[in-house]
Amino acid sequence: MTLHDPEIALKATEQPDATPLVVIDRVSRAYRKGKVAVPVLERHAMTIAAGEMLALVGASGCGKTTLLNLIGGADRPDAGEITVGETRITSLSDGALTDWRGRNVGFIFQFYNLLPALSARANVELPLLIHDLRAAERRARVDNALNLVGLEDRADHRPEEMSGGQQQRVAIARALVTDADLLLCDEPTGDLDQDSATRIMELLSLLNEEFGKTIVVVTHDPNVAAYAARTVRLTRPEAV
Amino acid sequence: MRLVSLILRNAARSRARVAFTLGSVVVAFLLLGLMLPVLRVFDSRVDFADANRLMVLNKASMMRPLPISYGDRIAELDNVSDVGHFTYFGASYRDPGNEIPAIVTDPAKFPDLVDEVAFRDEGTLSDWQSDPSSIAVGRELADEYGWQEGDLVPLYSSIYTRSDGNPVWTFRVGTIFDGATEDSVTNSVVIPYGFFNTERSRGKDTVGWYAVRIDDANAAEVTGEAIDAVFENSPNETATTTERAFAKSFLNQIGDFKTMIGAALILVFWTLVLITANAQMQSIRERFGDFAVMRILGFRKRRIAGMILSESLLMMFAGGVIGMAVAAVAVAIVAANGEALLALLKLDWRDWAIGAGLMAGTGLVVAAVPATLAARQKITDGLAEAL
């Protein structure tokens, strides 16, 4: 089932299966601070099942966001391999990795990262501009995504004209519009009040349960982590 | 939304800055559009000067005359095919401040010696050549004052009075001549030497300068030296040069005007371009976070760089075309109301081509660094900047 199925609201729930979607094999990543290498991930290994909703928790600097970026192909590991579906993304060229990311991954950030000059509709449409789609098809997809997050009546508003919760829902619509299987959420409720945070997490749960999206959520908040079927706690490696 | 729309919306993110940046570009290209025709007119004056024509001037000063007898002696020299003479009349019409170019010469030789003019009416040409008190008038001047063949025209001379002391000379319009090319100037009056020489109160049997037609332009220097050698140690020594060299030296004498205009143009233009570049780079730098988001959404580096280049080119062409269009209107107004060289001013296709080249070049230069930086930055760094 896809988001762009016209009978989307009538479809039955798809249950997550145990097939691994993401395989992280002894991945290491360190950052340099002057001459000192600061390891963030050290031979980290884990698997994320297709259709799973996973929470990554841990202290600040333990590598949650780094791991999320590595899974999504926004960063490259110093060592190790990452496979998503059938694709070993660590072996892809820069251009191929960009194309893969555009087709297969939806990103949701703490501060929404919407383009301020664009309306909600244009922000959601943005990832589709690089796909070979007709304008009518793009419009239908954007309408679907905005309907799903309940923002069809705010489509022509710019980010500055919307609340934080609404902006985050636009960001979720943008992540959904390409029908990516994998949604990577970095502190998606970190900038929101409790009510807005609850609505966002219920929306993500819906996407996981109803549409089988594989969702990885980085969070400090136990209440947010509670929405996930599984929680992985990361610890910070020793500095070298 | 299309990519073009995305570029436009991104470019217009800060409307005040876009307005000021666009304004700078408009002013830069307005200046360019105003100056290029002026520079070309300077060049054209030099280009029109004939390499096959020598000018023989009084060595002491170009304002001092030469004897009329020199003409026959010059004509006897090798490589000389024809000799004519000219004298500046210093004419004005209606009031002394309204000066018009007027020269005195031999009507029989004038049509052959001066290629820049064309006499289309053989009947009136011979009328002018046979009537010593008639003048030939350029088409622009005739049109300006409504003169026609047969009209009597009083001209005031600031240099020569008639034998009775009267500075006003009345001539009959014998013929009207046109320009040989579209760029030729036809705003002058040509007065027959015979009548003028008989009637003037002083300076009889002298001329202002000689124009010498030569067969071989490559031997111009040798011929010039030969002419000057003939009159060496005489009371009126000569200084001979090609018309082209004279035109250049004349322009140099008024302070190398072209170079000064060109230097000022380049300095002001590039100052404005640097201001624009700074504003553009700042604008792009502020959007590195947005570009990182676009990268993470699947936009390739090349596409990001292309968008930045397109935005910069759009800014340059929008401002540049507006600036040069305003300049074209201004130049046309000046040319319509101006006289002499000003009447030649025109923003033509060559100026537009230079302008378009500078718009494209500047747009690319301005965008090159930020486009490269935006494309090369790591997504994670860009996202960190967006916070």
Side-chain angles (χ1 to χ4, degrees):
Chain A
M1 179 167 106
T2 73
L3 273 175
H4 308 296
D5 190 322
E7 296 183 15
I8 198 165
L10 304 175
K11 292 286 183 182
T13 301
E14 279 186 5
Q15 296 300 319
D17 57 42
T19 310
L21 179 69
V22 181
V23 178
I24 300 165
D25 184 13
R26 290 166 290 172
V27 161
S28 299
R29 183 75 172 99
Y31 294 108
R32 291 214 154 265
K33 283 190 175 175
K35 293 182 178 177
V36 181
V38 180
V40 180
L41 295 170
E42 189 73 37
R43 296 176 66 79
H44 185 84
M46 67 181 288
T47 301
I48 302 169
E52 182 179 9
M53 185 163 178
L54 172 77
L56 288 176
V57 300
S60 294
C62 70
K64 304 185 296 292
T65 297
T66 298
L67 183 59
L68 201 72
N69 286 334
L70 291 172
I71 293 170
D75 196 4
R76 287 183 184 275
D78 299 324
E81 289 178 352
I82 299 172
T83 305
V84 181
E86 302 293 319
T87 308
R88 183 176 293 176
I89 64 170
T90 40
S91 302
L92 294 177
S93 67
D94 193 68
L97 183 62
T98 302
D99 293 344
W100 172 84
R101 198 169 54 233
R103 282 193 305 271
N104 296 289
V105 187
F107 284 88
I108 298 160
F109 306 98
Q110 179 178 357
F111 297 107
Y112 334 124
N113 288 89
L114 302 175
L115 268 57
L118 305 183
S119 66
R121 172 181 298 286
N123 264 291
V124 174
E125 191 180 1
L126 193 59
L128 298 180
L129 293 182
I130 51 175
H131 293 257
D132 190 20
L133 295 173
R134 292 181 151 200
E137 167 79 356
R138 290 203 306 266
R139 187 171 184 85
R141 284 192 176 210
V142 171
D143 287 344
N144 249 348
L146 285 171
N147 283 342
L148 195 70
V149 299
L151 280 179
E152 59 273 24
D153 58 335
R154 309 285 285 178
D156 296 323
H157 290 238
R158 289 191 180 192
E160 64 185 11
E161 299 164 342
M162 291 187 282
S163 69
Q166 288 171 331
Q167 288 187 57
Q168 193 61 296
R169 281 192 277 159
V170 173
I172 292 172
R174 183 178 67 185
L176 293 173
V177 78
T178 56
D179 202 15
D181 290 329
L182 180 60
L183 299 186
L184 303 176
C185 314
D186 191 0
E187 302 276 9
T189 61
D191 195 44
L192 301 178
D193 61 64
Q194 191 57 51
D195 286 348
S196 299
T198 301
R199 276 202 292 275
I200 292 298
M201 289 315 299
E202 285 174 350
L203 179 57
L204 290 176
S205 294
L206 175 83
L207 293 171
N208 172 246
E209 292 165 8
E210 295 285 325
F211 299 102
K213 300 295 179 189
T214 304
I215 299 178
V216 181
V217 181
V218 165
T219 184
H220 284 101
D221 186 346
N223 293 325
V224 170
Y227 282 89
R230 182 162 67 107
T231 298
V232 171
R233 180 172 296 278
L234 299 182
T235 54
R236 191 170 187 168
E238 293 292 318
V240 293
Chain B
M1 183 175 68
R2 293 180 177 178
L3 270 175
V4 174
S5 170
L6 177 62
I7 291 166
L8 287 173
R9 290 190 209 185
N10 262 332
R13 181 170 160 177
S14 170
R15 291 183 183 176
R17 178 158 44 206
V18 167
F20 285 121
T21 308
L22 195 64
S24 297
V25 180
V26 168
V27 171
F29 281 92
L30 171 63
L31 181 73
L32 183 78
L34 291 174
M35 290 296 107
L36 283 177
V38 174
L39 295 176
R40 205 178 49 257
V41 164
F42 274 111
D43 270 344
S44 70
R45 292 296 85 200
V46 174
D47 289 342
F48 286 156
D50 195 334
N52 282 70
R53 232 164 27 203
L54 301 180
M55 289 185 74
V56 183
L57 302 163
N58 192 307
K59 187 177 180 181
S61 163
M62 63 182 285
M63 303 305 293
R64 292 183 63 174
L66 292 169
I68 187 74
S69 58
Y70 279 18
D72 291 339
R73 294 171 69 185
I74 294 170
E76 292 170 358
L77 298 173
D78 288 344
N79 197 33
V80 173
S81 59
D82 202 359
V83 180
H85 57 76
F86 296 94
T87 304
Y88 185 63
F89 185 77
S92 53
Y93 179 61
R94 286 180 179 155
D95 70 76
N98 184 32
E99 294 181 1
I100 57 175
I103 52 167
V104 181
T105 190
D106 180 356
K109 289 195 171 180
F110 182 75
D112 293 331
L113 205 61
V114 181
D115 297 332
E116 292 88 340
V117 301
F119 291 89
R120 308 209 192 284
D121 186 340
E122 290 290 333
T124 60
L125 171 61
S126 62
D127 182 24
W128 170 55
Q129 290 173 325
S130 60
D131 178 358
S133 66
S134 70
I135 53 175
V137 178
R139 178 71 63 190
E140 291 170 35
L141 200 63
D143 289 346
E144 184 178 350
Y145 294 116
W147 294 343
Q148 294 176 338
E149 285 97 346
D151 287 354
L152 292 177
V153 176
L155 296 179
Y156 172 88
S157 172
S158 59
I159 303 172
Y160 299 103
T161 56
R162 302 183 65 158
S163 51
D164 60 1
N166 188 354
V168 178
W169 299 62
T170 301
F171 299 101
R172 187 178 68 84
V173 177
T175 187
I176 294 172
F177 61 84
D178 294 290
T181 65
E182 193 181 329
D183 292 335
S184 299
V185 181
T186 57
N187 63 347
S188 57
V189 167
V190 184
I191 300 166
Y193 180 81
F195 174 74
F196 163 78
N197 193 46
T198 306
E199 285 291 311
R200 64 177 161 174
S201 60
R202 61 180 180 84
K204 287 183 186 294
D205 297 329
T206 62
V207 299
W209 70 94
Y210 286 95
V212 179
R213 174 80 75 194
I214 57 176
D215 293 323
D216 181 6
N218 294 324
E221 191 175 348
V222 174
T223 307
E225 288 170 0
I227 293 170
D228 293 342
V230 170
F231 305 107
E232 196 170 8
N233 297 321
S234 73
N236 293 290
E237 292 189 53
T238 59
T240 305
T241 181
T242 62
E243 273 197 5
R244 187 163 293 176
F246 177 78
K248 280 186 176 173
S249 68
F250 184 75
L251 292 178
N252 288 341
Q253 281 175 18
I254 59 173
D256 204 355
F257 207 48
K258 183 189 168 191
T259 305
M260 286 196 297
I261 290 177
L265 171 63
I266 290 168
L267 285 175
V268 176
F269 182 78
W270 278 108
T271 302
L272 289 169
V273 166
L274 288 174
I275 292 170
T276 307
N278 186 46
Q280 276 286 89
M281 287 179 76
Q282 193 179 342
S283 164
I284 292 165
R285 191 83 181 81
E286 284 174 5
R287 284 179 283 145
F288 270 20
D290 290 355
F291 295 133
V293 171
M294 293 171 74
R295 291 268 309 280
I296 213 166
L297 293 177
F299 283 71
R300 283 191 172 204
K301 291 177 178 177
R302 268 185 303 183
R303 196 181 290 261
I304 298 287
M307 286 177 60
I308 293 171
L309 287 173
S310 303
E311 187 181 317
S312 178
L313 288 171
L314 181 71
M315 178 71 76
M316 286 296 162
F317 273 91
V321 169
I322 292 171
M324 291 198 68
V326 173
V329 173
V331 165
I333 291 171
V334 169
N337 296 295
E339 295 178 354
L341 292 180
L342 287 180
L344 284 177
L345 292 176
K346 182 184 175 189
L347 195 75
D348 69 13
W349 66 268
R350 288 168 290 187
D351 304 317
W352 280 102
I354 292 170
L358 283 170
M359 289 171 212
T362 310
L364 291 174
V365 168
V366 164
V369 173
T372 306
L373 290 175
R376 280 188 180 174
Q377 77 161 348
K378 293 175 69 175
I379 293 174
T380 47
D381 293 342
L383 289 175
E385 281 198 35
L387 298 179

